Amino acid sequence: MRAAVVVEHRKPLEIREVPDPTPGPQDAIVRVEACGICRSDWHGWMGDWTWLGLSPQLPFIPGHEFAGVVVEVGKEVKRIRVGDRVTVPFHYACGHCSYCLSGVPNRCEDLKIFGFSLDGAYAQYVRIPNADFNAIKLPEGVDSVTAAAIGCRYMTGYHAVIRGNVQPGDWVAVHGAGGVGLSAIQTAYAIGARVIAVDIDDAKLEIARREGAVATVNARRESVPGAIREITRGGAHVSIDALGTRETILNSVLCLRKGGRHVQVGLTGQEEQGMVALPTDLIVSMELEFVGSLGNPHPQYQGLLALVEQGRLKPRSLVSRTVKLEEASDVLQAMSEFRTVGFTVITEF
Ligand SMILES: [Zn+2]
Ligand SMILES: [Zn+2]
């Protein structure tokens, strides 16, 4: 099969002919119809996240937000059949540890990530291990491009809103109007929150308004915590950092009102390497919460897909561009300069 392969960090991907994946007894093979190009792929391509134990061995096939059709299943697979249209959460889970059994497989003890610890879907075919647990069947009304958009960024933004315990009427600040940020904005708006989008790019803030933000703050021109405290008259109830830089993390914590909740969903890059000093005394005196959010537990897909099918959430509207496998390299390069807008999805393999 054809695959786009990272042979060297920060160098163009190579289009190579590689062996087709074959299923183990519990696996499914999926013919990929759509695969998103995510900032996490960019981090993998850059060679980041060694501090998370997430730097894949070279060469590797990236791609963790995908959808397609099952073409082959192992002999122990029962629930998933050839011909099913499926997607997966980017985080593979074992299905039988205490976390998986208690409904939070995104905390699985044996968590693996497509395109990092498993072969990804910048390819014609991809193997889904433990398919009965990990493959999620798509409803009729959800096409592959939409499902690919959901696979990582959208469901991550959706889960961040749930982790933020966002209530109707709450002021919710979202820092970073990229894929995850826009997804959080759509979701928070859909449940009746008042959303403020923060970014450094006016074009992205314009899209944020279209997706439901009632106010925007350009972090290049304004002090973010000050501007948000003024708009909300006292601070946001919930603030979501969808980016993961020292600046966005601090802006997010500092824009909260007393009792507010910060949700960290963006992972940091080379500069922070996972370590950022926090205004700890303020967290105590204002009784703030600092919450992490990773992916989206498999059981939460039911609600998410139902809302998408009903048209109340619209991940498809965030897909700005579809490309060929050969173009993936250029898209990663563009991400280095934050030139991409919304989601780019590979649809030709
Ligand atoms: Zn598990
Ligand atoms: Zn991703």
Side-chain angles (χ1 to χ4, degrees):
M1 65 170 183
R2 273 157 52 83
V5 182
V6 177
V7 286
E8 211 179 320
H9 293 133
R10 303 166 196 226
K11 292 279 156 62
L13 275 58
E14 271 182 27
I15 305 294
R16 281 188 181 173
E17 197 62 38
V18 301
D20 287 354
T22 48
Q26 299 179 338
D27 306 343
I29 306 298
V30 168
R31 179 166 49 75
V32 184
E33 290 186 335
C35 181
I37 300 175
C38 175
R39 184 153 291 277
S40 306
D41 298 328
W42 177 84
H43 280 289
W45 175 68
M46 292 289 286
D48 289 349
W49 294 351
T50 45
W51 54 93
L52 267 176
L54 257 185
S55 205
Q57 292 284 314
L58 294 166
F60 67 94
I61 304 171
H64 57 276
E65 39 183 55
F66 60 90
V69 179
V70 175
V71 291
E72 201 180 347
V73 293
K75 57 179 183 296
E76 290 169 25
V77 176
K78 293 188 180 73
R79 195 178 62 84
I80 298 297
R81 303 227 166 89
V82 170
D84 283 348
R85 296 174 55 249
V86 298
T87 185
V88 292
F90 66 82
H91 38 76
Y92 156 91
C94 76
H96 47 73
C97 73
S98 62
Y99 297 108
C100 283
L101 292 176
S102 58
V104 281
N106 57 330
R107 301 176 194 164
C108 176
E109 282 173 8
D110 189 27
L111 196 89
K112 293 190 176 86
I113 299 186
F114 289 94
F116 287 84
S117 26
L118 297 166
D119 278 342
Y122 284 18
Q124 289 177 299
Y125 298 95
V126 65
R127 182 178 70 95
I128 302 179
N130 192 5
D132 276 339
F133 189 78
N134 286 290
I136 290 166
K137 289 190 204 178
L138 292 172
E140 283 275 310
V142 178
D143 64 82
S144 290
V145 173
T146 302
I150 292 171
C152 166
R153 286 168 284 183
Y154 201 92
M155 57 88 138
T156 296
Y158 175 84
H159 184 56
V161 171
I162 293 172
R163 291 286 288 159
N165 195 19
V166 173
Q167 304 295 314
D170 276 358
W171 282 108
V172 177
V174 177
H175 304 260
V180 172
L182 290 171
S183 308
I185 289 167
Q186 266 198 6
T187 306
Y189 171 70
I191 62 175
R194 291 173 287 175
V195 181
I196 304 167
V198 182
D199 205 286
I200 54 171
D201 182 339
D202 285 328
K204 290 183 183 173
L205 291 173
E206 195 50 48
I207 298 171
R209 272 193 188 274
R210 195 186 74 202
E211 299 301 341
V214 292
T216 58
V217 176
N218 187 315
R220 279 249 167 86
R221 292 198 295 266
E222 290 180 83
S223 148
V224 174
I228 291 177
R229 258 191 253 110
E230 200 175 310
I231 295 165
T232 58
R233 296 171 198 266
H237 297 89
V238 179
S239 184
I240 297 171
D241 176 21
L243 200 61
T245 66
R246 175 173 288 110
E247 188 187 343
T248 55
I249 294 166
L250 287 176
N251 280 345
S252 178
V253 172
L254 292 171
C255 79
L256 289 167
R257 67 177 57 204
K258 289 186 176 181
R261 180 178 273 205
H262 161 87
V263 182
Q264 187 61 43
V265 56
L267 290 165
T268 66
Q270 280 294 347
E271 201 177 314
E272 296 83 6
Q273 306 207 358
M275 297 300 286
V276 172
L278 291 173
T280 314
D281 293 347
L282 212 61
I283 290 176
V284 173
S285 62
M286 292 177 67
E287 290 207 312
L288 303 179
E289 291 180 71
F290 192 105
V291 173
S293 183
L294 177 72
N296 189 43
H298 301 43
Q300 276 178 12
Y301 262 82
Q302 294 301 336
L304 169 54
L305 289 171
L307 289 170
V308 172
E309 207 182 14
Q310 289 164 15
R312 290 165 70 187
L313 294 177
K314 299 184 179 70
R316 191 70 158 83
S317 78
L318 305 181
V319 177
S320 52
R321 198 175 159 215
T322 58
V323 296
K324 293 180 184 158
L325 193 59
E326 287 81 356
E327 294 171 275
S329 227
D330 294 341
V331 177
L332 292 175
Q333 190 66 55
M335 281 184 167
S336 297
E337 290 120 48
F338 291 90
R339 278 193 284 116
T340 54
V341 176
F343 292 24
T344 305
V345 176
I346 307 169
T347 52
E348 285 181 56
F349 295 85

